[in-house]
Amino acid sequence: MVDKGRIQYALMDLTSLDRQEYYNGFANRALWPTMHYRVGLSDFSRADYAGYLRVNHTFASALAKLVCPSDLVWVHDYHLIPLAAALRALGLTNAIGYFHHIPWPAPEVLGTLPGSTDLLRSIMDFNLVGVQTDRDADNLRRGLIQELGAIPQKSDLDLDGESTCVKSFPIGIDVSGFEQVAARARSNRIVSQTIVGLGSRKLIIGVDRLDYSKGIPEKMEAYERFLVNNPDQRGRVTFLQIAPTSRSEVPEYGALSRAVNETLGRINGSLGEPGWVPIQYVTSTYPRPVLAGLYRLAPVALVTPMRDGMNLVAKEYVAAQDPTDPGVLILSKFAGAAQQLTGALIVNPNDKLEVAEAIHDALQMSHEERVTRWQGMIGPLQDHDVSWWAAAFLRELAGQKARAAG
Ligand code: GDG
């Protein structure tokens, strides 16, 4: 047990085989790509799937010893879908909720993954399942109905005497925290060095884990298209892509890293000039105040995932802006955040010309339009911040428990 403030962490070790089969294997080589509609990248193996189930049972055995009868149990993300079923098998009757941070795909897509019917069945062991958007909720409900024969009852689904509620709870961020650090960040060394380095150039910023769902090479190519179509902008803008390395033990991520480096080298080599590098690319992780300060410096953010559950960077960028002179968010229609951030320039990341034109429009946008778009986004973000999200989920979970008891 590790105490950190009001939170106690119960930690346990996994073997290297567990890590390989459960985490690098089924969770990140099969479930992650399928959930992001990349069925061609999904690599299923029975051994990995068995490892995924085994580790969930291991977690359940450890957790069951710690849970008190009145506790609410809140499980997070795709690594733990079978956890409630494993806890129920050990006799737990507590209310158990699950939040799915990534997209829930259409049943036709999820159905390509071996084991997906079992996963759907284990979803029914949660009392409440939260997803990011109404589309995700609709996809999951359709899956439960079509694949398992669950019966829809208002917001619940019934199957063999069990009832599960599926609902969207779009995750928020710590809006006021971001506003405050962003406003103070100019004194930070990295932020002030960036200001000096930029001179009169405008900054376009991207921040994404190095993951193929984030569309990093695709957005570099869209930016290249922008520079080719608008030669007068060369030397007047800099695109800073921060892409912390992620899941480097998974082969597809090594391949992505090589593809990004190749695209980056080609663009900087062909369009760069002495004294100007079109794309600055860094794979380190920066402290949150630095990110907030860089967001605030950038008149344009390029957030163009190919598919994303929500995308917190889009929300952080909006929260970090100077209200008197806000920047413009360019946002993929395939990020869950696009359902809420309607003041962004919404683009299809597969259409490089459309993204290139959005970069152009964002850089030329009038002050009045920038302020109007930003004002339309910041209010709803403040009303639905991360505290609202957690409270809304837990209130609903407690309500499910009360209904089940009564
Ligand atoms: C999953 C879903 C969903 C990034 N670089 C640095 C850094 N970050 C922080 C960002 C942001 C977070 O990491 C990334 O969040 P995203 O939402 O963009 O993406 P995922 O990691 O894929 O998260 C996603 C999310 O869960 C929440 O439900 O939105 O759809 O895929 O907060 O700021 N933070 C610091 N330094 C960095 O260099 N400190």
Side-chain angles (χ1 to χ4, degrees):
M1 285 286 194
V2 176
D3 284 323
K4 286 233 167 128
R6 291 165 50 222
I7 302 178
Q8 268 195 324
Y9 292 85
L11 306 177
M12 60 185 293
D13 290 326
L14 293 182
T15 65
S16 59
L17 185 70
D18 288 341
R19 180 175 168 78
Q20 199 49 39
E21 293 179 342
Y22 159 73
Y23 182 74
N24 291 332
F26 188 73
N28 285 327
R29 288 196 82 190
L31 261 184
W32 175 272
T34 306
M35 293 278 183
H36 286 85
Y37 290 74
R38 299 293 289 270
V39 294
L41 290 180
S42 185
D43 190 6
F44 174 84
S45 100
R46 277 184 196 279
D48 288 349
Y49 184 50
Y52 177 77
L53 296 177
R54 182 182 67 243
V55 171
N56 270 278
H57 279 94
T58 308
F59 286 151
S61 304
L63 185 61
K65 296 186 188 110
L66 303 173
V67 175
C68 301
S70 62
D71 286 344
L72 296 177
V73 180
W74 190 1
V75 176
H76 286 262
D77 231 358
Y78 60 101
H79 317 85
L80 299 170
I81 295 174
L83 191 69
L87 288 168
R88 300 287 184 222
L90 295 170
L92 242 81
T93 56
N94 299 57
I96 311 181
Y98 169 71
F99 189 78
H100 188 72
H101 288 257
I102 64 176
W104 195 285
E108 296 75 14
V109 174
L110 187 64
T112 60
L113 180 69
S116 61
T117 308
D118 289 346
L119 290 179
L120 284 168
R121 214 168 275 129
S122 47
I123 278 285
M124 293 299 302
D125 282 297
F126 292 102
N127 300 85
L128 174 64
V129 176
V131 289
Q132 301 276 25
T133 66
D134 289 344
R135 186 185 306 146
D136 296 321
D138 185 53
N139 285 338
L140 173 52
R141 275 197 212 103
R142 284 197 299 128
L144 294 168
I145 295 165
Q146 290 172 19
E147 300 295 322
L148 303 186
I151 315 282
Q153 311 272 7
K154 293 190 186 150
S155 62
D156 290 2
L157 289 127
D158 291 353
L159 182 71
D160 301 334
E162 285 183 307
S163 186
T164 297
C165 176
V166 175
K167 228 174 145 178
S168 68
F169 296 86
I171 194 169
I173 59 161
D174 173 13
V175 178
S176 59
F178 246 91
E179 286 168 343
Q180 284 163 22
V181 284
R184 287 198 304 261
R186 282 181 90 87
S187 57
N188 177 280
R189 183 183 59 82
I190 295 175
V191 177
S192 56
Q193 276 174 0
T194 309
I195 296 172
V196 173
L198 279 169
S200 60
R201 285 183 191 122
K202 288 186 171 175
L203 179 65
I204 300 172
I205 194 162
V207 177
D208 308 88
R209 265 187 317 102
L210 189 50
D211 191 296
Y212 49 80
S213 67
K214 304 292 184 184
I216 298 168
E218 292 84 352
K219 80 165 120 167
M220 287 180 170
E221 284 172 356
Y223 171 72
E224 175 185 33
R225 181 73 65 93
F226 161 76
L227 293 175
V228 168
N229 292 359
N230 300 277
D232 60 310
Q233 291 296 314
R234 295 187 200 171
R236 295 191 176 169
V237 292
T238 292
F239 173 26
L240 169 62
Q241 175 65 52
I242 297 176
T245 307
S246 146
R247 304 179 193 165
S248 48
E249 293 169 31
V250 178
E252 288 74 22
Y253 288 73
L256 171 71
S257 175
R258 289 188 291 279
V260 170
N261 286 333
E262 198 179 308
T263 307
L264 173 78
R266 184 177 56 68
I267 296 171
N268 281 345
S270 64
L271 295 174
E273 293 159 8
W276 177 59
V277 181
I279 306 176
Q280 286 188 0
Y281 176 66
V282 291
T283 56
S284 326
T285 303
Y286 291 91
R288 197 166 96 138
V290 173
L291 276 193
L294 294 174
Y295 289 144
R296 195 169 171 111
L297 277 189
V300 180
L302 210 41
V303 183
T304 52
M306 311 312 281
R307 195 67 69 167
D308 217 331
M310 178 55 62
N311 196 295
L312 299 183
V313 169
K315 294 188 169 183
E316 293 165 358
Y317 177 75
V318 172
Q321 295 310 295
D322 175 353
T324 64
D325 189 20
V328 181
L329 172 65
I330 299 175
L331 179 60
S332 163
K333 65 191 283 192
F334 301 120
Q339 306 299 313
Q340 295 174 295
L341 299 176
T342 49
L345 296 180
I346 305 289
V347 294
N348 180 342
N350 298 299
D351 186 344
K352 301 208 172 79
L353 181 59
E354 186 186 12
V355 179
E357 288 174 352
I359 297 172
H360 174 269
D361 294 350
L363 289 166
Q364 305 303 322
M365 192 178 285
S366 70
H367 178 260
E368 190 189 356
E369 184 176 350
R370 284 190 280 117
V371 171
T372 307
R373 284 176 176 273
W374 180 80
Q375 284 176 345
M377 295 191 280
I378 191 70
L381 265 195
Q382 285 163 336
D383 293 344
H384 297 94
D385 68 359
V386 70
S387 304
W388 165 86
W389 168 78
F393 187 95
L394 290 172
R395 198 169 40 244
E396 183 75 37
L397 183 57
Q400 293 291 328
K401 184 184 174 184
R403 268 196 289 286

